[in-house]
PDB file of all heavy atoms in Angstrom:
ATOM      1  N   PRO A  23      69.617  32.166 161.626  1.00 87.00           N
ATOM      2  CA  PRO A  23      69.283  32.956 160.435  1.00 87.00           C
ATOM      3  C   PRO A  23      68.956  32.099 159.220  1.00 87.00           C
ATOM      4  O   PRO A  23      69.440  30.980 159.070  1.00 87.00           O
ATOM      5  CB  PRO A  23      70.551  33.770 160.184  1.00 87.00           C
ATOM      6  CG  PRO A  23      71.196  33.861 161.511  1.00 87.00           C
ATOM      7  CD  PRO A  23      70.895  32.559 162.197  1.00 87.00           C
ATOM      8  N   ASP A  24      68.153  32.663 158.350  1.00 89.00           N
ATOM      9  CA  ASP A  24      67.752  32.069 157.073  1.00 89.00           C
ATOM     10  C   ASP A  24      66.865  30.838 157.231  1.00 89.00           C
ATOM     11  O   ASP A  24      66.791  30.007 156.336  1.00 89.00           O
ATOM     12  CB  ASP A  24      68.967  31.721 156.209  1.00 89.00           C
ATOM     13  CG  ASP A  24      69.802  32.940 155.866  1.00 89.00           C
ATOM     14  OD1 ASP A  24      69.207  34.022 155.674  1.00 89.00           O
ATOM     15  OD2 ASP A  24      71.027  32.826 155.796  1.00 89.00           O
ATOM     16  N   SER A  25      66.215  30.686 158.374  1.00 90.00           N
ATOM     17  CA  SER A  25      65.280  29.580 158.597  1.00 90.00           C
ATOM     18  C   SER A  25      63.852  30.078 158.439  1.00 90.00           C
ATOM     19  O   SER A  25      63.581  31.263 158.590  1.00 90.00           O
ATOM     20  CB  SER A  25      65.447  29.018 160.005  1.00 90.00           C
ATOM     21  OG  SER A  25      66.727  28.482 160.151  1.00 90.00           O
ATOM     22  N   LEU A  26      62.953  29.149 158.142  1.00 89.00           N
ATOM     23  CA  LEU A  26      61.543  29.500 157.984  1.00 89.00           C
ATOM     24  C   LEU A  26      60.713  28.582 158.870  1.00 89.00           C
ATOM     25  O   LEU A  26      60.802  27.362 158.764  1.00 89.00           O
ATOM     26  CB  LEU A  26      61.109  29.339 156.529  1.00 89.00           C
ATOM     27  CG  LEU A  26      59.628  29.559 156.244  1.00 89.00           C
ATOM     28  CD1 LEU A  26      59.269  31.022 156.459  1.00 89.00           C
ATOM     29  CD2 LEU A  26      59.296  29.148 154.840  1.00 89.00           C
ATOM     30  N   ILE A  27      59.927  29.183 159.761  1.00 88.00           N
ATOM     31  CA  ILE A  27      59.004  28.455 160.618  1.00 88.00           C
ATOM     32  C   ILE A  27      57.610  28.876 160.173  1.00 88.00           C
ATOM     33  O   ILE A  27      57.245  30.037 160.293  1.00 88.00           O
ATOM     34  CB  ILE A  27      59.197  28.795 162.114  1.00 88.00           C
ATOM     35  CG1 ILE A  27      60.669  28.697 162.523  1.00 88.00           C
ATOM     36  CG2 ILE A  27      58.310  27.913 162.973  1.00 88.00           C
ATOM     37  CD1 ILE A  27      61.285  27.348 162.371  1.00 88.00           C
ATOM     38  N   ASP A  28      56.838  27.944 159.653  1.00 87.00           N
ATOM     39  CA  ASP A  28      55.519  28.245 159.103  1.00 87.00           C
ATOM     40  C   ASP A  28      54.541  28.640 160.213  1.00 87.00           C
ATOM     41  O   ASP A  28      54.791  28.413 161.394  1.00 87.00           O
ATOM     42  CB  ASP A  28      54.994  27.031 158.347  1.00 87.00           C
ATOM     43  CG  ASP A  28      54.042  27.399 157.226  1.00 87.00           C
ATOM     44  OD1 ASP A  28      53.695  28.588 157.103  1.00 87.00           O
ATOM     45  OD2 ASP A  28      53.652  26.495 156.484  1.00 87.00           O
ATOM     46  N   SER A  29      53.423  29.222 159.814  1.00 81.00           N
ATOM     47  CA  SER A  29      52.419  29.645 160.791  1.00 81.00           C
ATOM     48  C   SER A  29      51.805  28.437 161.486  1.00 81.00           C
ATOM     49  O   SER A  29      51.763  27.333 160.929  1.00 81.00           O
ATOM     50  CB  SER A  29      51.328  30.466 160.108  1.00 81.00           C
ATOM     51  OG  SER A  29      50.690  29.696 159.124  1.00 81.00           O
ATOM     52  N   ASN A  30      51.359  28.650 162.703  1.00 84.00           N
ATOM     53  CA  ASN A  30      50.706  27.638 163.538  1.00 84.00           C
ATOM     54  C   ASN A  30      51.620  26.500 163.977  1.00 84.00           C
ATOM     55  O   ASN A  30      51.144  25.453 164.399  1.00 84.00           O
ATOM     56  CB  ASN A  30      49.454  27.060 162.854  1.00 84.00           C
ATOM     57  CG  ASN A  30      48.450  28.144 162.553  1.00 84.00           C
ATOM     58  OD1 ASN A  30      48.238  29.033 163.371  1.00 84.00           O
ATOM     59  ND2 ASN A  30      47.866  28.095 161.388  1.00 84.00           N
ATOM     60  N   ILE A  31      52.928  26.668 163.863  1.00 87.00           N
ATOM     61  CA  ILE A  31      53.881  25.675 164.364  1.00 87.00           C
ATOM     62  C   ILE A  31      54.276  26.103 165.771  1.00 87.00           C
ATOM     63  O   ILE A  31      54.592  27.264 166.000  1.00 87.00           O
ATOM     64  CB  ILE A  31      55.150  25.618 163.484  1.00 87.00           C
ATOM     65  CG1 ILE A  31      54.813  25.410 162.025  1.00 87.00           C
ATOM     66  CG2 ILE A  31      56.125  24.585 164.009  1.00 87.00           C
ATOM     67  CD1 ILE A  31      54.366  24.041 161.650  1.00 87.00           C
ATOM     68  N   LYS A  32      54.249  25.164 166.707  1.00 88.00           N
ATOM     69  CA  LYS A  32      54.648  25.464 168.078  1.00 88.00           C
ATOM     70  C   LYS A  32      55.985  24.805 168.371  1.00 88.00           C
ATOM     71  O   LYS A  32      56.136  23.596 168.220  1.00 88.00           O
ATOM     72  CB  LYS A  32      53.591  24.981 169.055  1.00 88.00           C
ATOM     73  CG  LYS A  32      52.291  25.729 168.883  1.00 88.00           C
ATOM     74  CD  LYS A  32      51.349  25.460 170.012  1.00 88.00           C
ATOM     75  CE  LYS A  32      50.016  26.063 169.666  1.00 88.00           C
ATOM     76  NZ  LYS A  32      49.615  27.148 170.406  1.00 88.00           N
ATOM     77  N   LEU A  33      56.957  25.627 168.762  1.00 88.00           N
ATOM     78  CA  LEU A  33      58.281  25.139 169.121  1.00 88.00           C
ATOM     79  C   LEU A  33      58.454  25.236 170.621  1.00 88.00           C
ATOM     80  O   LEU A  33      58.068  26.231 171.232  1.00 88.00           O
ATOM     81  CB  LEU A  33      59.365  25.995 168.473  1.00 88.00           C
ATOM     82  CG  LEU A  33      59.431  26.056 166.958  1.00 88.00           C
ATOM     83  CD1 LEU A  33      60.524  27.019 166.541  1.00 88.00           C
ATOM     84  CD2 LEU A  33      59.678  24.690 166.383  1.00 88.00           C
ATOM     85  N   SER A  34      59.056  24.233 171.194  1.00 89.00           N
ATOM     86  CA  SER A  34      59.386  24.266 172.611  1.00 89.00           C
ATOM     87  C   SER A  34      60.683  23.499 172.808  1.00 89.00           C
ATOM     88  O   SER A  34      60.781  22.330 172.415  1.00 89.00           O
ATOM     89  CB  SER A  34      58.257  23.639 173.431  1.00 89.00           C
ATOM     90  OG  SER A  34      58.564  23.688 174.799  1.00 89.00           O
ATOM     91  N   ASN A  35      61.677  24.166 173.373  1.00 90.00           N
ATOM     92  CA  ASN A  35      62.992  23.554 173.586  1.00 90.00           C
ATOM     93  C   ASN A  35      63.529  22.969 172.289  1.00 90.00           C
ATOM     94  O   ASN A  35      63.849  21.784 172.208  1.00 90.00           O
ATOM     95  CB  ASN A  35      62.926  22.494 174.688  1.00 90.00           C
ATOM     96  CG  ASN A  35      62.542  23.096 176.020  1.00 90.00           C
ATOM     97  OD1 ASN A  35      63.193  24.013 176.499  1.00 90.00           O
ATOM     98  ND2 ASN A  35      61.466  22.617 176.588  1.00 90.00           N
ATOM     99  N   ALA A  36      63.625  23.815 171.279  1.00 91.00           N
ATOM    100  CA  ALA A  36      64.098  23.373 169.968  1.00 91.00           C
ATOM    101  C   ALA A  36      65.202  24.297 169.462  1.00 91.00           C
ATOM    102  O   ALA A  36      65.257  25.469 169.816  1.00 91.00           O
ATOM    103  CB  ALA A  36      62.953  23.365 168.968  1.00 91.00           C
ATOM    104  N   VAL A  37      66.084  23.732 168.637  1.00 92.00           N
ATOM    105  CA  VAL A  37      67.115  24.493 167.948  1.00 92.00           C
ATOM    106  C   VAL A  37      66.925  24.219 166.464  1.00 92.00           C
ATOM    107  O   VAL A  37      66.957  23.070 166.027  1.00 92.00           O
ATOM    108  CB  VAL A  37      68.531  24.064 168.382  1.00 92.00           C
ATOM    109  CG1 VAL A  37      69.584  24.819 167.592  1.00 92.00           C
ATOM    110  CG2 VAL A  37      68.722  24.268 169.876  1.00 92.00           C
ATOM    111  N   VAL A  38      66.704  25.287 165.695  1.00 92.00           N
ATOM    112  CA  VAL A  38      66.504  25.163 164.252  1.00 92.00           C
ATOM    113  C   VAL A  38      67.708  25.808 163.578  1.00 92.00           C
ATOM    114  O   VAL A  38      67.934  27.007 163.699  1.00 92.00           O
ATOM    115  CB  VAL A  38      65.187  25.834 163.805  1.00 92.00           C
ATOM    116  CG1 VAL A  38      64.987  25.674 162.308  1.00 92.00           C
ATOM    117  CG2 VAL A  38      64.004  25.261 164.578  1.00 92.00           C
ATOM    118  N   ASP A  39      68.489  24.988 162.886  1.00 94.00           N
ATOM    119  CA  ASP A  39      69.717  25.463 162.253  1.00 94.00           C
ATOM    120  C   ASP A  39      69.410  26.257 160.984  1.00 94.00           C
ATOM    121  O   ASP A  39      68.265  26.313 160.529  1.00 94.00           O
ATOM    122  CB  ASP A  39      70.628  24.270 161.933  1.00 94.00           C
ATOM    123  CG  ASP A  39      72.103  24.623 161.995  1.00 94.00           C
ATOM    124  OD1 ASP A  39      72.456  25.816 161.852  1.00 94.00           O
ATOM    125  OD2 ASP A  39      72.923  23.704 162.188  1.00 94.00           O
ATOM    126  N   ARG A  40      70.436  26.846 160.398  1.00 93.00           N
ATOM    127  CA  ARG A  40      70.305  27.697 159.217  1.00 93.00           C
ATOM    128  C   ARG A  40      69.622  26.988 158.055  1.00 93.00           C
ATOM    129  O   ARG A  40      69.824  25.807 157.839  1.00 93.00           O
ATOM    130  CB  ARG A  40      71.680  28.140 158.725  1.00 93.00           C
ATOM    131  CG  ARG A  40      72.386  29.029 159.674  1.00 93.00           C
ATOM    132  CD  ARG A  40      73.794  29.280 159.179  1.00 93.00           C
ATOM    133  NE  ARG A  40      74.297  30.434 159.863  1.00 93.00           N
ATOM    134  CZ  ARG A  40      74.426  31.623 159.298  1.00 93.00           C
ATOM    135  NH1 ARG A  40      74.175  31.785 158.036  1.00 93.00           N
ATOM    136  NH2 ARG A  40      74.837  32.642 159.997  1.00 93.00           N
ATOM    137  N   LYS A  41      68.828  27.742 157.334  1.00 93.00           N
ATOM    138  CA  LYS A  41      68.180  27.317 156.099  1.00 93.00           C
ATOM    139  C   LYS A  41      67.249  26.116 156.279  1.00 93.00           C
ATOM    140  O   LYS A  41      66.906  25.459 155.311  1.00 93.00           O
ATOM    141  CB  LYS A  41      69.207  27.048 155.019  1.00 93.00           C
ATOM    142  CG  LYS A  41      70.001  28.300 154.693  1.00 93.00           C
ATOM    143  CD  LYS A  41      70.897  28.115 153.526  1.00 93.00           C
ATOM    144  CE  LYS A  41      71.639  29.421 153.310  1.00 93.00           C
ATOM    145  NZ  LYS A  41      72.291  29.518 152.059  1.00 93.00           N
ATOM    146  N   ALA A  42      66.842  25.838 157.509  1.00 94.00           N
ATOM    147  CA  ALA A  42      65.855  24.779 157.745  1.00 94.00           C
ATOM    148  C   ALA A  42      64.462  25.344 157.521  1.00 94.00           C
ATOM    149  O   ALA A  42      64.222  26.534 157.738  1.00 94.00           O
ATOM    150  CB  ALA A  42      65.985  24.236 159.155  1.00 94.00           C
ATOM    151  N   ILE A  43      63.557  24.482 157.075  1.00 93.00           N
ATOM    152  CA  ILE A  43      62.171  24.876 156.864  1.00 93.00           C
ATOM    153  C   ILE A  43      61.298  23.931 157.678  1.00 93.00           C
ATOM    154  O   ILE A  43      61.367  22.715 157.506  1.00 93.00           O
ATOM    155  CB  ILE A  43      61.785  24.808 155.381  1.00 93.00           C
ATOM    156  CG1 ILE A  43      62.641  25.798 154.584  1.00 93.00           C
ATOM    157  CG2 ILE A  43      60.299  25.089 155.195  1.00 93.00           C
ATOM    158  CD1 ILE A  43      62.456  25.700 153.084  1.00 93.00           C
TER     159      ILE A  43
END
Side-chain angles (χ1 to χ4, degrees):
D24 299 325
S25 297
L26 175 68
I27 311 299
D28 208 354
S29 60
N30 301 319
I31 307 286
K32 295 192 189 249
L33 298 177
S34 181
N35 297 304
V37 177
V38 181
D39 211 337
R40 294 173 162 255
K41 299 187 180 194
I43 297 173

